[in-house]
Amino acid sequence: MNKAHLIEKVAREAGISKVVADRAIDSLLAGITEGLRRGERVTLVGFGTFSVTERRARMGRNPQTGVPIKIAAKKAVRFSIGKRLNYLINRKPKK
């Protein structure tokens, strides 16, 4: 599913136009991004938690040449799945 499919689904299920659904999804993503940029954890109960983690600098290797390279430290986004989402993804289908 891509963003266009998600917009269509939200618009259909909420009974709103695709333009309004697009704005709502953009606003949700902007809110999550803003919280992460400030270093906050963003929790959507039942769905999961987004958080920012620090990755320290390390040495790696160029896979083509084998030459050692230095990989710089950076921030990365981490996602921990919520209990409800985990249940929905892993439940066995009814026969």
Side-chain angles (χ1 to χ4, degrees), residues 48-93:
T49 301
F50 297 91
S51 60
V52 177
T53 185
E54 296 279 338
R55 290 197 179 161
R56 60 179 195 246
R58 59 191 169 91
M59 291 301 291
R61 291 195 180 276
N62 180 325
Q64 291 181 334
T65 64
V67 174
I69 57 172
K70 186 171 185 171
I71 301 171
K74 67 177 186 176
K75 293 180 181 180
V77 175
R78 181 173 176 209
F79 178 75
S80 299
I81 192 167
K83 287 183 182 180
R84 178 80 176 141
L85 179 59
N86 191 31
Y87 168 76
L88 292 172
I89 289 173
N90 291 305
R91 73 178 178 185
K92 303 277 191 260

Side-chain angles (χ1 to χ4, degrees), residues 18-32:
K18 288 183 184 180
V19 172
V20 174
D22 184 28
R23 261 190 263 146
I25 290 170
D26 283 345
S27 178
L28 171 71
L29 296 175
I32 292 170

